[in-house]
Amino acid sequence: MKKICALMMVLSVCSMMFAQTALDAKESDPTTMGWMQGFPPAEDKILSPVDGSFFTFPGLRYSVNHMREFSPTRVVPAAKDRHYGVKTEIDSNIDKVTFTPWGSDTTMTWAESLEANYTDGIIVMHKGKIVYEKYFGGLDAEGIHAAMSVSKSFAGTIASILIAEGVLDPTKLVIDYIPELKDSAFADATVEEVLDMTTAIQFSEDYSDPNAEVWEYGLAGNVFRPADYTGPKNYYEYLATVKKLPGQEHGEVFGYKTANAELVGWIISRASGKDLADLISEKIWKPMGAFYDGYYIIDPAGKTSSGGGFSLNLRDMAVFGELMRRNGNFWGTQIIPQEAIAMIREGGSQEVFEKSGDYPTLKGWSYKNMWWITHNEHGAYMARGVHGQAIYIDPTAEMVIARFSSAPNASNKYLDPTSLPAYEAVAEYLMNK
């Protein structure tokens, strides 16, 4: 496992197939473990991107709060003044809210679910106020944490803004913006198909398969590579090598493939003439009044890793979710065009999503502009990242949940049974107070 991880880029993830025998949340607390402590640290407490130890559980519980120490990054500047103001009215009864996890006959409390999911920090906002906020392990209120694939939703939001502004045309072909991809699988795909992940590209994201394309993608973006490496030297070069799936056309089936998100970052930068990190700062972070600079991991060519490289503050992430819930309006100012958010909330094709067969527990969901749409009674939608990162927006309950986590297993399928029903239970509780 470590040998494979050593070949991966900084934000790549191992499948953590040993999860069932992993340390629990308290035992794996990064402060208790003593990672990177001392001058120098003890040899068995040093985490490194070279040997993959920095992203192997339980070391990853430290690394998610310190990604900048393991890779080159680009800053997402926060506001210098006029920061947002949010009232806090903590409701301790939320800890006692109960729900039944999927596939279980035993109820669980909200508080119990946090430990079960290796939560590092979580905020619940209701009607614009913070009603719940807790931190664990190595994270505190001022900390910066890796958002993993929640980064995709930030890129998708910027793309939606550019579409609303008329800067980006989702009906155009990818090669209208990136002619360098004329010989790749993306040549006949539309921008919309890339944003909705319905491209028919040959790209496996199965981390347990050492031959999966995700490893080659990871190597292309990694600054730490074997001396004899001869493959693509950055994400730009990698995307030009992506092949099409035989017998399948774009737009037919949803397939969650990070290569699409990496391409979105390239497309919006080419269309706007600006880097993704700068666009987020200009169009979201500064006008929203974010308190803390975020940062993005970059590849050897300096490309911002739009597929999963964003690290940010939890409160800033929760307020971004609140901005989305308010249809882009904050302080009486329309920061994100309503059209952009309406486009996301409408969702994609539920039929195309179901065809993938990969998400049997997410019945009736869809995917639109890098956001996951539940299509439930509350019209909830969310951003999701491996190891438990999440923004959950429930417009009906006027609720936003932002969570950072560092669970042993990468896939959300291990966390959804004790996360999604918990979110719904808290929403019902808040609505019925």
Side-chain angles (χ1 to χ4, degrees):
M1 181 68 71
K2 279 192 175 183
K3 184 176 179 181
I4 294 175
C5 288
L7 300 179
M8 284 299 290
M9 62 178 182
V10 174
L11 64 135
S12 294
V13 288
C14 298
S15 62
M16 311 302 172
M17 293 181 290
F18 54 85
Q20 292 185 0
T21 57
L23 300 172
D24 66 25
K26 290 181 179 177
E27 293 168 336
S28 62
D29 183 298
T31 303
T32 302
M33 298 294 291
W35 300 115
M36 305 298 284
Q37 301 301 308
F39 308 97
E43 186 174 353
D44 64 345
K45 298 299 181 181
I46 295 175
L47 301 173
S48 170
V50 177
D51 63 6
S53 58
F54 86 111
F55 224 77
T56 301
F57 186 88
L60 72 89
R61 301 209 69 198
Y62 172 89
S63 302
V64 289
N65 297 305
H66 300 271
M67 294 300 279
R68 203 167 197 177
E69 298 172 17
F70 300 103
S71 178
T73 58
R74 176 171 289 119
V75 174
V76 178
K80 293 183 178 179
D81 51 29
R82 200 170 181 263
H83 296 108
Y84 61 76
V86 176
K87 292 183 179 180
T88 299
E89 294 182 4
I90 298 300
D91 183 349
S92 59
N93 288 323
I94 290 176
D95 273 330
K96 303 172 187 175
V97 171
T98 60
F99 66 95
T100 303
W102 294 346
S104 173
D105 296 326
T106 305
T107 60
M108 175 180 278
T109 66
W110 170 262
E112 289 170 339
S113 75
L114 303 185
E115 184 171 342
N117 292 324
Y118 294 77
T119 301
D120 295 327
I122 192 160
I123 289 174
V124 179
M125 296 187 70
H126 185 228
K127 297 182 178 180
K129 297 177 182 178
I130 292 176
V131 296
Y132 190 92
E133 182 173 16
K134 285 194 177 180
Y135 298 91
F136 307 88
L139 188 65
D140 59 29
E142 296 183 347
I144 306 296
H145 191 288
M148 308 302 175
S149 288
V150 167
S151 308
K152 293 178 172 68
S153 298
F154 276 92
T157 301
I158 292 296
S160 301
I161 292 171
L162 295 180
I163 291 169
E165 293 176 343
V167 175
L168 183 63
D169 184 347
T171 67
K172 281 190 174 183
L173 294 176
V174 168
I175 55 173
D176 290 330
Y177 293 100
I178 316 289
E180 297 94 322
L181 297 182
K182 62 181 177 61
D183 296 322
S184 77
F186 296 110
D188 58 343
T190 65
V191 171
E192 183 176 31
E193 288 164 342
V194 176
L195 280 165
D196 296 349
M197 293 218 193
T198 60
T199 53
I201 62 171
Q202 192 170 304
F203 188 92
S204 169
E205 204 140 335
D206 181 359
Y207 299 106
S208 65
D209 179 3
N211 297 313
E213 287 82 4
V214 69
W215 298 116
E216 184 181 357
Y217 158 76
L219 280 169
N222 198 353
V223 294
F224 301 100
R225 291 191 289 239
D228 60 351
Y229 177 75
T230 59
K233 298 186 292 293
N234 51 62
Y235 291 135
Y236 299 119
E237 290 188 8
Y238 174 77
L239 291 170
T241 70
V242 175
K243 296 178 174 61
K244 199 168 184 179
L245 281 169
Q248 186 176 314
E249 295 302 320
H250 300 307
E252 294 180 344
V253 180
F254 169 74
Y256 186 80
K257 300 170 182 179
T258 296
N260 286 307
E262 210 59 69
L263 177 53
V264 167
W266 190 1
I267 291 171
I268 61 181
S269 291
R270 182 64 64 83
S272 66
K274 298 179 180 180
D275 185 82
L276 173 61
D278 295 330
L279 286 167
I280 290 175
S281 177
E282 173 191 324
K283 295 186 177 295
I284 300 175
W285 240 222
K286 286 182 177 178
M288 183 185 86
F291 277 81
Y292 298 92
D293 291 347
Y295 57 84
Y296 264 97
I297 289 170
I298 58 174
D299 79 350
K303 183 189 182 301
T304 295
S305 178
S306 50
F310 197 19
S311 288
L312 63 156
N313 175 264
L314 183 62
R315 275 204 172 199
D316 286 345
M317 189 166 80
V319 171
F320 166 67
E322 176 67 8
L323 174 63
M324 296 291 290
R325 185 190 73 79
R326 295 185 184 188
N327 292 314
N329 193 289
F330 214 57
W331 278 335
T333 301
Q334 197 66 41
I335 295 172
I336 299 175
Q338 290 188 33
E339 178 188 342
I341 296 178
M343 191 187 319
I344 293 167
R345 288 185 58 180
E346 183 180 356
S349 168
Q350 293 166 277
E351 180 183 357
V352 168
F353 183 90
E354 188 173 2
K355 278 183 181 178
S356 75
D358 294 331
Y359 303 96
T361 59
L362 305 185
K363 197 74 174 174
W365 286 42
S366 74
Y367 194 82
K368 185 66 180 178
N369 287 13
M370 302 274 144
W371 285 84
W372 300 78
I373 317 301
T374 72
H375 296 284
N376 66 11
E377 292 180 356
H378 288 190
Y381 60 106
M382 68 183 303
R384 293 157 61 86
V386 291
H387 298 288
Q389 323 319 316
I391 304 173
Y392 185 89
I393 302 167
D394 185 328
T396 301
E398 300 177 89
M399 180 191 78
V400 171
I401 296 175
R403 181 182 74 182
F404 284 141
S405 183
S406 49
N409 273 301
S411 176
N412 276 297
K413 70 181 180 181
Y414 298 102
L415 304 179
D416 286 345
T418 50
S419 293
L420 296 179
Y423 298 162
E424 292 174 352
V426 170
E428 291 297 330
Y429 165 76
L430 292 173
M431 290 178 67
N432 293 311
K433 279 186 65 175

